Amino acid sequence: MSDSFRDSSGKRLSDYPRPSVAVDTAVLTVPIGGPLSVVQVRDQVAGDWRLPGTFVHEGERLADAVLRSLRDKAGVTGLAPRQLHVFDDPSRDDRGWVLSVAHLDVVPAAALQTALEARVTPVSEATGMVHGHDDILEFAVAQLRADHRGAPDPHGLLPSPFTMSALRGLHEAVLGERLLPDSFRRAMLPMLTATAEKRAAGPGKPAVLYRR
């Protein structure tokens, strides 16, 4: 835009203070038999654990900055994060006025490979992070839980086909609560397709396998 542009107050764009813009990503997963977890990276200077993120470079798209931060800081590639929320409280970041455009991706544990300076940790233990990352993670987890209350494994964390028991176990891990088997089954069955396959899982009759 031309520097000759002036708004209704007679000011140019350069007359206004500008925040820095960052992107931060919550990459969530559920390890087999484990709890809902998140990818964290260790800061090379401060040594603390935080969400992978970066400042957006001049002329860079948000989506490209997200993929760059995941690749360079977490060693994670091949993801497709979606924009989640803009955190714009001017006091949220102790480094100064920083807008964070938060992103979310949900990835099967088997497909998640991280760098040495990254780890997958339970969300319940991922606290005390700098730059408002706790708030970003809390928002991302709330969104993921809302997704799972309305659909069976909406992000494809389970390999298909799967048993009803495995599906319930996944939802319990995501929601962080126990679910009544009969109630869960009644809620999920209308959204699943039973296959002709069955799987033995200990004593008793083999369990029916389902697809989403």
Side-chain angles (χ1 to χ4, degrees):
M1 183 174 292
S2 171
D3 192 52
S4 63
F5 167 81
R6 292 179 183 273
D7 66 10
S8 59
S9 301
K11 292 184 177 182
R12 297 168 296 182
L13 291 182
S14 57
D15 293 328
Y16 289 96
R18 301 180 184 182
S20 298
V21 179
V23 290
D24 298 296
T25 306
V27 180
L28 300 176
T29 190
V30 177
I32 296 176
L36 179 62
S37 300
V38 64
V39 172
Q40 290 183 304
V41 296
R42 186 192 292 274
D43 183 77
Q44 295 183 352
V45 177
D48 62 292
W49 291 95
R50 58 185 70 176
L51 300 180
T54 188
F55 286 103
V56 179
H57 293 172
E58 184 174 356
E60 186 177 35
R61 293 178 180 272
L62 292 173
D64 293 334
V66 170
L67 296 179
R68 173 171 57 82
S69 70
L70 290 173
R71 181 189 66 242
D72 295 350
K73 296 189 175 182
V76 175
T77 59
L79 302 188
R82 62 185 174 95
Q83 195 173 128
L84 182 66
H85 186 70
V86 177
F87 290 81
D88 61 355
D89 184 341
S91 63
R92 59 168 296 278
D93 194 315
D94 57 11
R95 295 171 297 185
W97 187 18
V98 181
L99 300 182
S100 175
V101 184
H103 288 68
L104 167 66
D105 207 350
V106 187
V107 187
L112 190 58
Q113 302 294 326
T114 59
L116 293 177
E117 289 299 308
R119 69 181 184 183
V120 177
T121 190
V123 296
S124 61
E125 299 175 13
T127 58
M129 293 184 287
V130 296
H131 311 326
H133 285 191
D134 283 16
D135 294 334
I136 294 172
L137 178 58
E138 181 180 359
F139 195 100
V141 168
Q143 180 62 65
L144 182 65
R145 287 176 171 166
D147 293 346
H148 278 74
R149 291 191 187 280
D153 187 19
H155 296 281
L157 292 174
L158 280 179
S160 187
F162 45 78
T163 64
M164 187 65 71
S165 176
L167 181 64
R168 189 179 77 253
L170 171 69
H171 279 242
E172 288 179 338
V174 170
L175 298 174
E177 61 187 57
R178 300 292 292 177
L179 300 171
L180 295 175
D182 289 343
S183 298
F184 179 79
R185 180 184 180 85
R186 285 195 299 269
M188 293 294 113
L189 270 178
M191 296 178 281
L192 296 172
T193 300
T195 72
E197 305 172 68
K198 293 187 178 182
R199 179 179 299 162
K205 296 190 300 182
V208 175
L209 297 180
Y210 297 90
R211 299 185 187 276
R212 296 172 204 88

